[in-house]
């Protein structure tokens, strides 16, 4: 059974979350262009072993708005409030959610384990500057396909063919993809059109990680660095860099999987395979 509940963060923002399963508490923090529902099949795959808490990060889904002063600290406060309310001691963070999970582990030494799936840290200017301004202009003009192309090119999370095709063609293909996804959307799966504004805010989080690699040396939790062998090289480089600074860490590169691995099956995810690695790590420290 899945139940819906909410917690109030430090600044008064409501964070809504689903609860399912039975066992030790585990919070699953979603990533870029996602809501909690985007990883609900991963939570279901873990629910036989853990009580899973699956929040919508602020500004997404049923949770409250980003609010003034939004940044990484607000996201850490949101997760901290949920951990306080549930007593959970295990966190799985996906993409930008993994950045939030790792930074929360610094502020919360009692956290036992963190699974960090491909956190997009900005190491030495990994991401180009200035793209968010263009993205914001395109969003303001209602050119959502163009804005998504801008974001995918900058973050290098789009398909490999994005790097060689003319931009006009990419925008046309993206517009077609949006229409097809909206027609097929069922069961609460969020659409990319709905989630497009979140790219601006996740870009802000990534920008805050520039040159802060050494801060993760103070993480006391056991950390599993999780990724896919088909994921972009810059995300693999982040996992390698974190291996060198985290005091208590393991790394698993899942064969044949990419950055969509934690997503629901309809979004090309492989949640059962990811869940198997998470269970193995937490139950066999």
């Amino acid at each position: 059974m899945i139940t819906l509940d909410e917690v109030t963060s430090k600044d008064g923002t409501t964070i809504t979350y689903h609860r399912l399963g039975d066992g030790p508490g585990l919070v699953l923090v979603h990533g870029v262009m996602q809501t909690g529902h985007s990883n609900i099949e991963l939570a279901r795959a873990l629910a036989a072993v853990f009580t899973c808490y699956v929040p919508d990060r602020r500004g997404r889904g049923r949770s409250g708005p980003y609010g003034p002063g939004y940044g990484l600290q607000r996201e850490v406060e949101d997760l901290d409030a949920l951990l306080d309310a549930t007593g959970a001691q295990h966190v799985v963070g996906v993409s930008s959610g993994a950045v939030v999970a790792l930074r929360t582990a610094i502020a919360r030494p009692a956290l036992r384990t963190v699974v960090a799936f491909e956190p997009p840290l900005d190491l030495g200017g990994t991401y180009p500057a200035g793209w968010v301004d263009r993205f914001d202009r395109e969003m303001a003009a209602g050119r959502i396909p163009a804005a998504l192309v801008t974001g995918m090119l900058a973050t290098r999370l789009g398909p490999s063919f994005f790097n060689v095709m003319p931009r006009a063609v990419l925008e046309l293909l993206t517009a077609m993809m949006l229409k097809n996804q909206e027609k097929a959307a069922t069961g609460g799966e969020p659409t990319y059109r709905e989630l497009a504004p979140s790219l601006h805010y996740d870009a802000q989080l990534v920008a805050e990680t520039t040159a802060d690699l050494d801060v993760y040396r103070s993480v006391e939790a056991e950390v599993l660095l999780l990724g896919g062998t088909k994921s972009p090289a810059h995300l693999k480089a982040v996992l390698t860099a974190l291996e060198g600074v985290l005091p208590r860490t393991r790394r698993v590169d899942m064969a044949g999987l990419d950055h969509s691995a934690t997503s629901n099956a309809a979004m090309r995810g492989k949640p059962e395979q990811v869940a198997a690695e998470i269970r193995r790590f937490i139950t066999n420290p």
Side-chain angles (χ1 to χ4, degrees), residues 72-91:
L72 188 49
Q73 182 58 34
R74 287 284 182 267
E75 294 267 10
V76 169
E77 291 168 0
D78 296 347
L79 178 52
D80 201 50
L82 183 53
L83 292 169
D84 282 342
T86 63
Q89 293 185 309
H90 309 284
V91 177

Side-chain angles (χ1 to χ4, degrees), residues 2-234:
I2 300 180
T3 60
L4 186 66
D5 209 337
E6 62 184 39
V7 67
T8 302
S9 191
K10 184 177 181 180
D11 72 342
T13 299
T14 297
I15 304 299
T16 302
Y17 63 93
H18 287 92
R19 171 180 171 163
L20 61 158
D22 186 44
L26 180 152
V27 177
L28 179 55
V29 187
H30 67 78
V32 63
M33 294 288 286
Q34 292 185 331
T35 66
H37 186 274
S38 304
N39 299 142
I40 199 67
E41 291 177 10
L42 176 58
R44 287 183 179 132
L46 293 165
V49 180
F50 304 101
T51 301
C52 296
Y53 303 95
V54 190
D56 290 330
R57 287 168 53 199
R58 63 169 60 205
R60 302 160 173 87
R62 294 180 174 87
S63 290
Y66 294 101
Y70 175 78
L72 188 49
Q73 182 58 34
R74 287 284 182 267
E75 294 267 10
V76 169
E77 291 168 0
D78 296 347
L79 178 52
D80 201 50
L82 183 53
L83 292 169
D84 282 342
T86 63
Q89 293 185 309
H90 309 284
V91 177
V92 177
V94 176
S95 189
S96 52
V99 178
V100 176
L102 288 169
R103 294 302 286 261
T104 301
I106 295 171
R108 195 179 182 96
L111 199 60
R112 290 179 58 191
T113 62
V114 172
V115 178
F117 180 82
E118 299 186 343
L121 303 182
D122 188 1
L123 304 180
T126 305
Y127 295 95
W131 73 267
V132 176
D133 290 339
R134 176 173 182 167
F135 173 86
D136 289 344
R137 290 194 301 270
E138 289 165 339
M139 287 293 295
R143 299 178 59 212
I144 295 177
L148 288 175
V149 170
T150 295
M152 284 187 284
L153 288 173
T155 58
R156 289 173 286 171
L157 293 178
S160 57
F161 67 80
F162 264 50
N163 299 317
V164 296
M165 294 189 71
R167 185 181 176 101
V169 175
L170 292 177
E171 291 182 17
L172 178 61
L173 291 174
T174 301
M176 294 170 59
M177 178 272 293
L178 289 175
K179 290 181 180 179
N180 290 336
Q181 189 197 29
E182 287 159 4
K183 289 179 182 177
T186 58
E189 192 74 45
T191 66
Y192 290 143
R193 189 182 299 275
E194 294 168 343
L195 293 172
S198 69
L199 268 175
H200 169 103
Y201 296 95
D202 273 15
Q204 183 175 334
L205 291 191
V206 172
E208 288 187 48
T209 68
T210 303
D212 73 347
L213 186 62
D214 279 348
V215 304
Y216 301 104
R217 295 185 186 278
S218 64
V219 172
E220 296 184 18
E222 293 275 359
V223 179
L224 173 63
L225 296 171
L226 200 55
T229 59
K230 289 189 175 181
S231 291
H234 67 282

